[in-house]
Amino acid sequence: MIELIKNFCFQRDNLIYKILKECSKEVWARQKAASESAASKVSEVTLTENLMYKIYSYVKEKKLGDRIGLYHSKDEKTNGADIEICLKVGSNQYLCLACQAKRLYMFDTTKNKTFNKPRYGALNHYVGGDKSKNQTDLLIKYAKRKKAIPLYLLYNYHKDEAYMKGLEDDAELYGCTLLSAYYVQDTLKASSKCFESAHGPAKPITSLSCLLFNSSLTELQNNWGQIDSAHRISFLTAREIERDGNWIKSIDSDEPFRFVATGGPELETVRNEDIVYPHKFSPRYRIVISPKETETDE
């Protein structure tokens, strides 16, 4: 996997890599537990909240506030499954990633049976049945306005060990992966919304630890699958990040971090809720990641 990542980065921030790897492993374990029983359910919101809590715990324990900034939206109506990630990729340059979370489902709850191939739920979902409001289109629209990269954050578990070894010896890195929304829009049709169809172009979230040292938009923008050539991406400055009034910083403010973690992957009873998809992409959380200024961590 490291060799694969090195194909599109200059240097890896090992501390960020370790944190993201642990997050992926936890999602993989939770999804594995969910795959073992149709009664063991978990939503994208729960997985996202647990992901944020794990990062929050690292930041608090290791005093990493200068490396990882965590924010929550001021708007209470935002979607708790969606995240905006800002990566410092150069001197006063931040790349924005708009990420919509989707988990891999092992059971078809409508027919009460296991899928032949696990599927991602509600990809290209129409909000409220309105075909003018496609969820992927709304994600891309938001990314265009922000001049960001539109991505799906995929939560996975795949039980075919032989298949996973063909991708990567450490399969747990694929607990959290990132995939271009344009790839979902153009390629993943109703009959192929499965893990195998997404990976390829989808890469583990640990890939973010490499992009911190790469300031070339040409090399950055297509790491997780090709995006539309007309989609304009640009860097944000630190001032633009700091002056965005839509967010509240969680670590050093008096405001509580607005999530509820629901326990570890060994628990079968977890919150499972019907998600009301909003009529626009509106992320609940923001993560701002910066590399160490000198040597990378070992």
Side-chain angles (χ1 to χ4, degrees):
M1 181 62 200
I2 291 175
E3 291 305 315
L4 174 64
I5 290 178
K6 284 182 177 177
N7 289 336
F8 60 89
C9 73
F10 297 131
Q11 192 177 18
R12 188 179 78 185
D13 185 309
N14 287 331
L15 176 62
I16 302 299
Y17 176 86
K18 289 174 184 177
I19 293 171
L20 295 176
K21 179 179 179 180
E22 288 303 309
C23 290
S24 271
K25 288 173 65 177
E26 187 157 307
V27 170
W28 183 268
R30 172 59 68 86
Q31 280 283 82
K32 181 179 180 182
S35 76
E36 292 168 352
S37 168
S40 191
K41 298 177 181 179
V42 60
S43 71
E44 284 103 349
V45 171
T46 299
L47 290 167
T48 299
E49 288 173 343
N50 286 347
L51 178 72
M52 294 300 298
Y53 179 72
K54 192 164 188 68
I55 296 173
Y56 176 85
S57 299
Y58 271 110
V59 172
K60 291 285 282 187
E61 180 184 354
K62 304 295 183 182
K63 295 179 169 51
L64 301 174
D66 61 329
R67 306 283 299 281
I68 303 175
L70 297 177
Y71 301 77
H72 58 262
S73 174
K74 287 183 177 180
D75 185 356
E76 295 290 351
K77 296 180 181 179
T78 53
N79 187 359
D82 298 333
I83 304 174
E84 184 174 289
I85 302 174
C86 299
L87 300 172
K88 188 176 182 182
V89 295
S91 177
N92 201 30
Q93 291 182 323
Y94 290 82
L95 180 70
C96 182
L97 313 174
C99 302
Q100 188 164 86
K102 293 294 177 187
R103 62 162 292 213
L104 196 66
Y105 284 84
M106 288 70 179
F107 291 94
D108 184 345
T109 55
T110 60
K111 298 181 180 178
N112 196 29
K113 67 176 185 179
T114 303
F115 284 121
N116 290 330
K117 286 189 176 183
R119 294 164 53 88
Y120 295 104
L123 278 178
N124 276 326
H125 173 79
Y126 292 107
V127 177
D130 185 344
K131 292 194 175 182
S132 69
K133 295 174 180 176
N134 178 277
Q135 217 181 8
T136 305
D137 293 341
L138 296 175
L139 169 60
I140 290 172
K141 182 179 180 180
Y142 175 92
K144 284 182 176 179
R145 180 165 59 84
K146 289 275 190 171
K147 297 183 179 178
I149 298 177
L151 298 173
Y152 275 92
L153 173 60
L154 304 176
Y155 297 135
N156 306 303
Y157 168 70
H158 199 294
K159 65 182 180 180
D160 188 335
E161 294 181 4
Y163 174 80
M164 292 307 299
K165 284 183 179 179
L167 288 176
E168 169 52 44
D169 290 337
D170 190 355
E172 292 171 324
L173 284 178
Y174 286 83
C176 293
T177 58
L178 295 167
L179 177 65
S180 165
Y182 282 102
Y183 183 83
V184 172
Q185 186 182 63
D186 298 338
T187 306
L188 288 189
K189 306 302 181 185
S191 60
S192 60
K193 295 176 184 177
C194 61
F195 183 93
E196 291 84 351
S197 299
H199 305 76
K203 292 182 175 65
I205 196 172
T206 50
S207 59
L208 297 178
S209 65
C210 295
L211 304 183
L212 295 166
F213 296 93
N214 190 339
S215 59
S216 167
L217 271 180
T218 302
E219 296 184 26
L220 290 169
Q221 61 189 13
N222 294 314
N223 285 324
W224 305 282
Q226 197 77 17
I227 71 166
D228 192 294
S229 59
H231 186 111
R232 295 179 61 84
I233 300 168
S234 64
F235 295 125
L236 299 177
T237 66
R239 183 177 178 84
E240 288 173 315
I241 295 284
E242 293 165 3
R243 296 187 68 180
D244 188 336
N246 296 315
W247 301 95
I248 299 172
K249 193 167 186 178
S250 301
I251 297 292
D252 58 5
S253 73
D254 294 330
E255 291 277 343
F257 198 18
R258 296 174 187 170
F259 58 72
V260 180
T262 56
E266 73 282 1
L267 300 178
E268 287 194 359
T269 305
V270 296
R271 188 177 72 193
N272 183 55
E273 57 191 1
D274 293 326
I275 299 173
V276 178
Y277 293 103
H279 285 68
K280 63 178 181 177
F281 178 81
S282 186
R284 171 72 58 86
Y285 304 113
R286 172 189 261 188
I287 309 173
V288 179
I289 305 176
S290 302
K292 193 172 182 180
E293 295 296 333
T294 54
E295 298 177 3
T296 56
D297 302 281
E298 296 300 329

